[in-house]
Amino acid sequence: MKDMQGGCIGRQETAYLLGIPLYINGVFTLESQYAYQGGNSTYIWVPLSILLSMGIFLLMLAAMQRTGAGDLGQLFEAGVGKVLGRCCMGLLALLLLLDGLAGMMRFISMLYSYVFTQSVYSSISLWIMGAVFLLAFWGIETLGRLSRLLGGLLLVLMLLNLLLPLESYQLYRLYPMPGNTWGQVAGYGLRHTFFLLPVLLGGLSLSRSTHGPRFMRSAGCIGACGAAALSFLTQMAISLTYGYRDLTAIYAPLYRLDMDMLREGYLFRMDKVSLFLWLMGELIGAAFFLFTASRIASRELGLGNAKPAVAAFSVLLGCALFFEHSGGYAQVEQVRSWLVQYGWLLLLPCLLAGALGGLMGRAKAKKEKDHANL
């Protein structure tokens, strides 16, 4: 059991481990043509989607407490039975892998387009995938300590990057406000909520490695609130720097913002530090998705160690990255776009299983209470 769980981490490590992929995937995976069409309201619906994900996360935790479940898998089994519960956990593992793939694809494309322009795309993919595999293979303790070590540096760096060029921000670039109709803002926010929700649900599946659901509650709230606040500042800075028409044609606006800050003379060579910490954040986030999906697969298949699943899923993700570059870009990009817009369909069975588990736990508790009063 110890091999499957891969050790334990504390509250601070868990908060950083959840907050980093929430922020990285919440900001770097935005499609500019989709996110900024008709206006710019990302500074509203991106942080709102993280907070909505946290709300669903808290509801799942409340259901776990009612049933006495130690992790999300036990909650699903209490709600819909062992077989369907395992199917729901399998869907969650699939979503985690797709989320990790989506983040790596966008980040590798940014590196290939702006940084390593003379390199071969497959070489960048191989380096990224190899580092992600090693981090996931070493387990949750390595991921937790590394995220705690680098998370604070990433936070300080982002605040410096966003606050130093204050004089170049212009309020008129926010026009029209809120940029989209409120119905569109709600639609974008809900779709992005279900895209980010697997991060927190994956955390619930690891609750035995974080000293139980009570510690997971506080760590998840800290990580989600921190990611929401930082994503708001990031999107607001981008919105105050570029108009929404310009943003539709900019790939990776955050990197362009950093380059503009460098050209204006703010902290020479800060772009290298930013790139390093963003890269480490992406590696930690992708490794978290890979490790969590592997832990779920190991648990449901009854394996005593998650490392074989880590190796197998790493091969699958690597093949997907190479397929994208060798003529399958349109197909892989279509899958990624579908995940962002319609991935919530795969999450519905998981949320239904969690809700049924909570109701069953409440009915069971009431029955035991009535029996005790007889």
Side-chain angles (χ1 to χ4, degrees):
M1 197 67 179
K2 181 180 179 181
D3 290 336
M4 186 181 295
Q5 291 180 4
C8 286
I9 57 176
R11 182 184 286 110
Q12 292 185 21
E13 289 90 346
T14 306
Y16 281 118
L17 190 56
L18 296 177
I20 288 175
L22 279 173
Y23 173 73
I24 295 293
N25 266 32
V27 172
F28 279 99
T29 58
L30 292 181
E31 298 179 24
S32 297
Q33 292 182 347
Y34 163 76
Y36 303 107
Q37 60 180 353
N40 183 7
S41 56
T42 55
Y43 58 90
I44 299 175
W45 58 262
V46 171
L48 179 63
S49 65
I50 297 177
L51 295 178
L52 288 175
S53 300
M54 183 183 71
I56 299 174
F57 162 80
L58 292 175
L59 289 176
M60 291 292 106
L61 262 175
M64 286 173 59
Q65 289 181 339
R66 285 183 173 180
T67 58
D71 56 34
L72 196 62
Q74 290 187 353
L75 175 65
F76 288 170
E77 290 180 7
V80 294
K82 196 168 187 178
V83 175
L84 292 179
R86 287 184 170 180
C87 292
C88 290
M89 291 300 290
L91 284 177
L92 178 58
L94 175 62
L95 283 171
L96 287 165
L97 290 174
L98 290 175
D99 275 11
L101 178 63
M104 283 192 292
M105 284 173 54
R106 298 290 287 187
F107 207 87
I108 292 172
S109 297
M110 185 192 76
L111 293 176
Y112 182 68
S113 301
Y114 292 129
V115 185
F116 305 115
T117 55
Q118 304 300 318
S119 299
V120 180
Y121 185 93
S122 57
S123 299
I124 302 174
S125 301
L126 182 63
W127 188 91
I128 295 289
M129 194 63 243
V132 169
F133 164 72
L134 285 177
L135 288 175
F137 190 82
W138 287 331
I140 192 171
E141 289 188 350
T142 299
L143 285 173
R145 276 100 180 124
L146 187 61
S147 62
R148 181 182 177 185
L149 176 65
L150 296 177
L153 293 176
L154 179 62
L155 176 61
V156 172
L157 174 76
M158 288 307 303
L159 291 177
L160 281 175
N161 279 349
L162 300 177
L163 295 178
L164 281 176
L166 279 176
E167 60 186 24
S168 63
Y169 295 155
Q170 298 294 334
L171 285 173
Y172 74 86
R173 296 192 178 107
L174 294 177
Y175 182 83
M177 298 180 67
N180 303 97
T181 66
W182 288 111
Q184 289 174 324
V185 171
Y188 291 153
L190 285 175
R191 282 193 289 267
H192 210 56
T193 295
F194 288 107
F195 175 67
L196 297 176
L197 183 57
V199 176
L200 294 174
L201 294 185
L204 289 179
S205 71
L206 299 175
S207 58
R208 292 181 182 275
S209 296
T210 59
H211 304 287
R214 184 170 63 88
F215 279 83
M216 179 58 71
R217 175 191 296 274
S218 58
C221 290
I222 293 170
C225 289
L230 194 55
S231 65
F232 169 76
L233 293 175
T234 301
Q235 293 301 330
M236 180 60 74
I238 292 172
S239 303
L240 292 171
T241 306
Y242 308 104
Y244 75 92
R245 289 188 178 90
D246 297 326
L247 285 169
T248 57
I250 296 177
Y251 191 86
L254 182 58
Y255 184 81
R256 285 286 298 275
L257 176 65
D258 199 57
M259 291 296 98
D260 290 344
M261 185 186 74
L262 177 65
R263 281 193 292 269
E264 293 178 11
Y266 297 105
L267 295 183
F268 183 65
R269 291 303 180 188
M270 179 62 77
D271 62 314
K272 306 300 182 185
V273 181
S274 300
L275 182 63
F276 168 74
L277 289 175
W278 290 341
L279 178 59
M280 291 306 301
E282 172 56 36
L283 294 178
I284 291 171
F288 167 80
F289 288 121
L290 175 59
F291 174 79
T292 307
S294 302
R295 272 281 304 275
I296 291 173
S298 300
R299 177 186 182 275
E300 302 308 325
L301 294 176
L303 303 178
N305 198 318
K307 292 181 179 180
V310 169
F313 288 151
S314 296
V315 172
L316 291 177
L317 292 178
C319 289
L321 291 174
F322 280 101
F323 176 71
E324 177 201 12
H325 180 60
S326 58
Y329 176 82
Q331 292 85 345
V332 177
E333 189 69 15
Q334 186 176 7
V335 172
R336 190 187 64 80
S337 297
W338 184 93
L339 174 66
V340 174
Q341 298 188 41
Y342 304 106
W344 58 272
L345 293 172
L346 296 179
L347 268 179
L348 283 181
C350 300
L351 298 179
L352 179 61
L356 289 175
L359 292 175
M360 294 290 289
R362 182 178 182 181
K364 182 179 178 181
K366 183 178 180 181
K367 184 177 179 180
E368 292 177 351
K369 182 178 180 181
D370 292 341
H371 181 74
N373 291 333
L374 292 178

